[in-house]
Amino acid sequence: MALSVDTTPAKHVTVLRNGDIKYEGRKFVVSRRRYRTFDSLLSDITHQISAPFGAVRRLYTPKGSRQIRAIDDLEGGGTYIAGGSERFKKLDYNQLSCRQRIGDLHRM
């Protein structure tokens, strides 16, 4: 009997807090080996970003046009917005993530 090994590469993503323009974001390395379920990813994000709204229950694309429902929906290098049970707050998250990346370059 052969063992099946998941060779899918890990995805590096940045997670911002819904409605918080001052939060710089938190980077996560997402792989099937680390997160076997989408709920385990949401749980880890909850603990890592200290969201004022409590538990992270949803991930959105920066424009809020799409809710992420599975680990396979994430794109490597993507930025996502973590939200609780509240509605998505429409802010210019792309501009925020650009400022964040510029800040990261200056820190190197």
Side-chain angles (χ1 to χ4, degrees), residues 10-30:
K11 300 173 186 179
H12 297 262
V13 299
T14 302
V15 178
L16 304 172
R17 292 191 297 221
N18 189 23
D20 190 347
I21 59 172
K22 293 183 180 179
Y23 183 68
E24 290 185 1
R26 176 90 177 174
K27 295 180 192 256
F28 290 86
V29 178
V30 180

Side-chain angles (χ1 to χ4, degrees), residues 15-19 58-62 79-83 88 93:
V15 178
L16 304 172
R17 292 191 297 221
N18 189 23
R58 298 181 181 129
L59 282 182
Y60 299 98
T61 58
T79 299
Y80 299 93
I81 314 306
F88 178 79
Y93 292 105

Side-chain angles (χ1 to χ4, degrees), residues 25-44:
R26 176 90 177 174
K27 295 180 192 256
F28 290 86
V29 178
V30 180
S31 69
R32 280 280 177 200
R33 177 181 242 179
R34 181 172 174 105
Y35 302 107
R36 297 190 188 274
T37 66
F38 188 63
D39 285 337
S40 66
L41 172 62
L42 294 180
S43 178
D44 194 30

